[in-house]
C-alpha cells in the first residue's frame, strides 16, 4: 500500500509542476523558486518546482523574446524527457519493489494459510481430545457410580456375613456346652459301667470258682467210681462214638496234663463241632488280658472263650475247619465257613491263618485270610498306629482294626445300632451293627 501511495504522489507532483508552468507566472523576483504543497491524508508534501528562464511555452515574456527563442527548443526537448525518464525509472523501481512486496505478501499469505490449516487441524485435534476427555469423564463418573454401588453391596454382604458369623459362634458355643455336658454324662456312665463290669467280673469269677469246685468234685466222684466216662480227642470223635446230643464233654488234648471241658454242638451241619467262642446275653466281660485269653474264661455251657493255647494245640494236631454262626436282632441268621483254620503258637502271637471261605454272611470274609496276630488291651499286635483292642474293646485278630470283632461289647436290643465297638461282622450287617448271638466252632476237615 505504501509503495502505491508514493508512486501516486510522485505522479501527482509531476502533473502539478506541469500545470504550474502552464497557468501561473513567475514571481516578482526572477531568481526565486516556486514551492508546491500537497496534502495526502494526515501527511503533507512540499515539492520544489523547476525554475524557467522565461514564460512557459506559449506565453513568452516581452523582455526576453530572444532568450526564449534561443532556449525554447532546447527546453522543450530536454526537460520533459528527462523528467519522464526519471519518473519511469522510479516507477520501475517502485514496481519491482511492489512485486517483491507482493511476493513476500503471497509467501506470508501462504504461510498464514498453512498456519491457519495447521491451527484448524490443532483445533480439530483439541476438539477430539476434549470430546475424549468428556467421554472419559463420563466413563469415570459411571465407574465411580458402579464402585459406590459395589461398595454398598459389599457393605451389606459384610454385614450379613458378620451377623452369620455371630450366629455361628453362638451355635458353636451352645454345641460346645452340649458336648461338655454329654462328656460329663459319658464319664459318669463310664464310671458306672466300669463299676458294673467289676461287679459282673467278680460274680463271674465267683461262679467260675464254684464251677471249678463243682468240676473238681465231679472229678473226684468220677475217680471214686473208677470213671466210666471215656475221654475224646475232640467233639467229632465223641459224635462218631455215638454221642449225638449237644452238651459239655471232656476232651483230652496232647501236651495238656488235665482234660478240658468243652461244649460240643452235635446238631448244626452234621454235628461234631467244638465250640471255641459263644456270645448270647452279655453275661461275661470279654475285655480281658492276654493271659485270660490264653487260658480261656467263661462257662462252656454259656458265654465263654475256650482259650488261645487250646485252640493252638487243637488246630495243629490235624487239619480243622471253622464255622461261625451269626444272628441279628431281627431274627436273621447267617454263617461263614472256612475249609482250613490254623492258629500259631504264643511266640507268634497266636496268628490266625484261614483258607477257603464260603457262606451266607457276606460275599467276602470279614476275617483276614492272609494271617493276623491276636491283640488284647494289654498287648497290642495289630497293624494300626492306634490300639484297636482298647478302642474297639475285647481280644481279637484285628489286623488294622479290620471289618470284624466278635469279642466286642454286648449291646442289648435298641442300643445295638451305631456301635463301632460292638459285636460286629461287617459283611453281614455293616460296621456299626452289634449282633445278638454268635458262635465259633471247629471240627476236623472232611468230617
Amino acid at each position: 500500500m505504501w509503495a502505491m501511495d508514493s508512486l501516486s504522489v510522485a505522479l501527482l507532483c509531476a502533473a502539478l509542476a506541469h500545470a504550474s508552468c502552464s497557468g501561473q507566472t513567475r514571481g516578482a523576483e526572477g531568481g526565486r523558486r516556486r514551492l508546491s504543497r500537497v496534502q495526502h491524508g494526515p501527511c503533507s508534501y512540499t515539492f520544489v518546482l523547476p525554475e524557467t528562464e522565461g514564460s512557459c511555452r506559449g506565453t513568452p515574456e516581452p523582455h526576453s523574446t530572444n532568450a526564449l527563442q534561443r532556449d525554447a527548443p532546447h527546453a522543450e526537448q530536454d526537460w520533459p524527457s528527462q523528467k519522464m525518464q526519471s519518473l519511469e525509472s522510479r516507477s520501475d523501481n517502485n514496481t519491482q519493489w511492489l512485486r517483491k512486496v507482493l511476493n513476500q505478501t503471497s509467501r506470508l499469505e501462504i504461510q498464514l494459510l498453512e498456519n491457519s490449516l495447521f491451527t484448524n487441524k490443532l483445533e480439530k485435534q483439541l476438539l477430539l481430545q476434549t470430546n475424549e476427555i468428556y467421554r472419559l469423564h463420563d466413563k469415570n463418573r459411571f465407574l465411580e457410580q458402579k464402585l459406590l454401588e459395589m461398595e454398598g453391596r459389599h457393605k451389606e454382604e459384610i454385614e450379613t456375613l458378620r451377623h452369620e458369623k455371630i450366629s455361628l459362634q453362638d451355635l458353636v458355643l451352645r454345641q460346645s456346652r452340649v458336648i461338655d455336658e454329654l462328656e460329663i454324662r459319658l464319664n459318669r456312665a463310664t464310671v458306672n459301667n466300669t463299676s458294673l463290669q467289676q461287679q459282673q467280673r467278680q460274680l463271674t469269677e465267683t461262679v467260675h470258682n464254684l464251677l471249678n469246685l463243682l468240676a473238681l468234685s465231679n472229678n473226684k466222684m468220677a475217680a471214686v467210681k473208677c470213671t466210666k466216662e471215656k475221654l475224646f480227642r475232640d467233639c467229632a470223635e465223641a459224635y462218631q462214638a455215638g454221642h449225638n446230643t449237644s452238651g459239655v464233654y471232656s476232651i483230652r488234648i496232647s501236651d495238656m496234663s488235665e482234660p478240658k471241658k468243652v461244649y460240643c454242638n452235635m446238631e448244626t451241619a452234621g454235628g461234631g463241632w467244638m465250640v471255641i467262642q459263644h456270645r448270647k446275653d452279655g453275661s461275661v466281660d470279654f475285655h480281658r488280658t492276654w493271659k485270660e485269653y490264653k487260658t480261656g474264661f467263661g462257662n462252656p455251657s454259656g458265654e465263654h472263650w475256650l482259650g488261645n493255647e487250646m485252640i493252638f494245640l487243637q488246630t495243629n494236631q490235624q487239619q480243622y475247619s471253622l464255622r461261625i454262626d451269626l444272628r441279628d436282632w431281627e431274627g436273621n441268621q447267617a454263617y461263614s465257613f472256612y475249609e482250613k483254620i490254623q492258629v500259631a503258637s504264643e511266640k507268634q502271637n497266636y496268628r490266625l491263618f484261614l483258607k477257603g471261605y464260603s457262606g451266607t454272611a457276606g460275599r467276602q470274609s470279614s476275617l483276614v485270610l492272609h494271617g493276623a496276630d491276636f491283640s488284647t488291651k494289654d498287648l497290642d499286635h495289630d497293624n494300626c498306629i492306634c490300639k484297636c483292642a482298647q478302642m474297639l474293646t475285647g481280644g481279637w485278630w484285628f489286623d488294622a482294626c479290620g471289618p470284624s470283632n466278635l469279642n466286642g461289647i454286648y449291646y442289648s436290643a435298641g442300643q445295638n445300632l451305631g456301635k463301632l465297638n460292638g459285636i460286629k461282622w461287617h459283611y453281614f450287617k455293616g460296621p456299626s451293627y452289634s449282633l445278638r448271638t454268635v458262635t465259633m466252632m471247629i471240627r476236623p476237615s472232611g468230617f
Side-chain angles (χ1 to χ4, degrees):
M1 290 297 293
W2 171 248
M4 294 180 68
D5 289 342
S6 299
L7 179 60
S8 299
V9 171
L11 293 174
L12 181 60
C13 291
L16 289 174
H18 187 270
S20 177
C21 290
S22 300
Q24 295 184 11
T25 60
R26 190 175 179 152
E29 208 173 322
R32 189 176 179 181
R33 295 182 179 180
R34 288 182 63 85
L35 302 176
S36 177
R37 294 178 61 86
V38 177
Q39 186 73 28
H40 183 72
C43 301
S44 62
Y45 303 91
T46 303
F47 300 95
V48 179
L49 299 176
E51 295 181 355
T52 58
E53 294 291 334
S55 300
C56 292
R57 188 175 52 180
T59 58
E61 293 182 359
H63 59 275
S64 58
T65 304
N66 295 328
L68 179 61
Q69 290 177 354
R70 186 181 57 247
D71 298 331
H74 183 268
E76 288 177 358
Q77 293 176 0
D78 296 335
W79 184 84
S81 61
Q82 293 176 356
K83 193 66 176 179
M84 286 301 294
Q85 290 177 358
S86 176
L87 290 175
E88 288 176 357
S89 177
R90 290 182 181 178
S91 177
D92 291 339
N93 292 335
N94 290 332
T95 300
Q96 292 177 1
W97 184 81
L98 179 60
R99 287 176 180 174
K100 291 180 179 179
V101 171
L102 288 175
N103 290 334
Q104 292 179 357
T105 303
S106 298
R107 286 195 297 270
L108 290 175
E109 286 178 352
I110 293 172
Q111 187 175 2
L112 181 61
L113 180 60
E114 292 176 353
N115 291 338
S116 177
L117 293 175
F118 182 71
T119 302
N120 291 335
K121 185 177 180 181
L122 290 178
E123 287 179 352
K124 290 181 180 179
Q125 291 180 355
L126 180 60
L127 181 59
L128 292 175
Q129 294 294 334
T130 304
N131 292 334
E132 183 67 16
I133 290 173
Y134 286 152
R135 189 182 67 81
L136 292 176
H137 180 68
D138 293 339
K139 186 175 181 180
N140 187 34
R141 250 188 334 188
F142 176 75
L143 292 176
E144 287 179 352
Q145 184 177 1
K146 288 292 184 181
L147 181 60
L148 291 175
E149 293 177 357
M150 291 177 65
E151 287 179 352
R153 289 197 299 270
H154 287 168
K155 287 181 180 179
E156 293 177 357
E157 292 176 357
I158 290 172
E159 188 67 19
T160 302
L161 292 175
R162 190 176 66 83
H163 289 304
E164 291 180 356
K165 179 182 177 182
I166 294 174
S167 301
L168 289 175
Q169 288 177 345
D170 294 339
L171 179 61
V172 169
L173 182 60
R174 291 195 297 270
Q175 293 292 338
S176 298
R177 291 174 180 173
V178 172
I179 290 172
D180 292 339
E181 184 178 353
L182 291 175
E183 286 181 350
I184 293 172
R185 293 181 180 179
L186 179 61
N187 292 332
R188 292 175 181 173
T190 303
V191 172
N192 294 334
N193 189 28
T194 303
S195 177
L196 290 174
Q197 288 180 353
Q198 290 177 353
Q199 294 178 5
Q200 184 180 7
R201 188 180 296 110
Q202 291 175 358
L203 291 174
T204 302
E205 290 176 353
T206 302
V207 172
H208 185 66
N209 292 332
L210 292 174
L211 290 174
N212 289 335
L213 292 174
L214 182 60
L216 290 174
S217 177
N218 291 334
N219 289 336
K220 290 179 180 180
M221 291 176 62
V224 171
K225 296 178 180 179
C226 296
T227 186
K228 295 182 179 180
E229 181 181 2
K230 181 182 179 181
L231 297 178
F232 301 101
R233 290 186 305 170
D234 52 30
C235 294
E237 190 177 79
Y239 184 86
Q240 290 173 347
H243 300 277
N244 54 8
T245 302
S246 299
V248 178
Y249 289 79
S250 296
I251 301 299
R252 175 179 292 174
I253 301 177
S254 60
D255 298 333
M256 294 188 68
S257 58
E258 295 182 359
K260 183 75 174 180
K261 294 292 185 178
V262 300
Y263 187 89
C264 294
N265 185 326
M266 304 299 188
E267 300 170 358
T268 301
W273 295 101
M274 180 189 298
V275 178
I276 62 174
Q277 186 258 26
H278 184 57
R279 306 289 300 277
K280 65 175 183 177
D281 54 16
S283 59
V284 176
D285 179 22
F286 274 70
H287 197 42
R288 301 293 186 101
T289 64
W290 180 268
K291 184 178 180 181
E292 289 175 303
Y293 269 99
K294 175 183 178 179
T295 59
F297 53 86
N299 185 358
S301 60
E303 290 197 341
H304 72 284
W305 180 261
L306 183 61
N308 289 337
E309 188 66 21
M310 185 171 179
I311 299 173
F312 154 66
L313 295 173
Q314 196 73 18
T315 58
N316 280 272
Q317 68 179 0
Q318 61 177 324
Q319 184 172 323
Y320 274 79
S321 299
L322 171 66
R323 178 186 173 98
I324 302 175
D325 287 345
L326 308 168
R327 184 179 181 184
D328 62 18
W329 289 93
E330 290 74 34
N332 302 309
Q333 296 184 13
Y335 75 93
S336 292
F337 177 78
Y338 301 88
E339 292 180 2
K340 181 179 179 181
I341 175 177
Q342 185 177 14
V343 176
S345 66
E346 184 177 14
K347 292 182 179 180
Q348 295 177 302
N349 301 321
Y350 295 117
R351 182 172 299 175
L352 176 66
F353 296 96
L354 297 171
K355 184 178 179 181
Y357 168 78
S358 62
T360 60
R363 294 184 178 180
Q364 65 185 84
S365 172
S366 293
L367 269 173
V368 178
L369 300 179
H370 58 75
D373 293 351
F374 199 85
S375 295
T376 59
K377 63 180 181 180
D378 57 336
L379 280 179
D380 180 61
H381 299 119
D382 56 50
N383 293 321
C384 181
I385 58 174
C386 59
K387 294 183 178 181
C388 301
Q390 290 186 2
M391 183 174 66
L392 302 178
T393 72
W396 192 249
W397 296 281
F398 288 105
D399 190 41
C401 301
S404 66
N405 177 19
L406 300 183
N407 291 335
I409 296 177
Y410 188 93
Y411 289 100
S412 58
Q415 299 179 352
N416 63 304
L417 300 177
K419 307 298 183 181
L420 296 176
N421 59 352
I423 304 172
K424 71 173 181 179
W425 195 259
H426 176 81
Y427 293 106
F428 175 45
K429 299 296 291 187
S432 59
Y433 185 101
S434 184
L435 300 171
R436 181 175 183 178
T437 62
V438 57
T439 304
M440 300 177 65
M441 306 175 292
I442 62 174
R443 75 178 179 186
S445 299
F447 174 78

